[in-house]
Amino acid sequence: MREANLRKADAGGAVFHDADLRLADLRGTDLSAADLLRARLTGALASERTRWPAGFDPVAAGVVLTDDPGPEPPPLLQPPGITTQHPPLRSLP
């Protein structure tokens, strides 16, 4: 999961034993109930909104603290609207 975008994810109960989360974007992610045993977090991004397990020291783990990116932008591609009209479905007797 190196360089993964986990921004604002709810990782409650996730198990990251020995996971490679280096350079991952964890800004705003809730990791408070995650298991980070031996997870590699060097260079991962976190913000003041990132939630960590009790007693976990992200700075000692090599996490880079930065600003929160704010609201997520809308998707680049919007689904097309329905432009055709079809008669309603009816059952035959």
Side-chain angles (χ1 to χ4, degrees):
M1 297 186 66
R2 184 176 182 162
E3 298 182 34
N5 182 357
L6 299 175
R7 187 174 35 210
K8 298 184 181 180
D10 180 359
V15 178
F16 292 112
H17 286 191
D18 298 309
D20 185 353
L21 293 170
R22 291 176 290 172
L23 304 172
D25 190 346
L26 303 174
R27 293 177 290 178
T29 302
D30 184 355
L31 296 161
S32 60
D35 187 346
L36 297 172
L37 183 67
R38 295 185 308 271
R40 291 175 284 167
L41 293 160
T42 305
L45 299 177
S47 68
E48 72 279 353
R49 295 184 180 206
T50 305
R51 300 291 168 245
W52 300 100
F56 184 79
D57 184 358
V59 175
V63 173
V64 176
L65 299 176
T66 187
D67 292 331
D68 192 76
E72 293 294 314
L76 294 175
L77 299 175
Q78 299 293 324
I82 297 175
T83 58
T84 57
Q85 298 293 324
H86 297 285
L89 295 175
R90 291 183 290 199
S91 297
L92 295 176

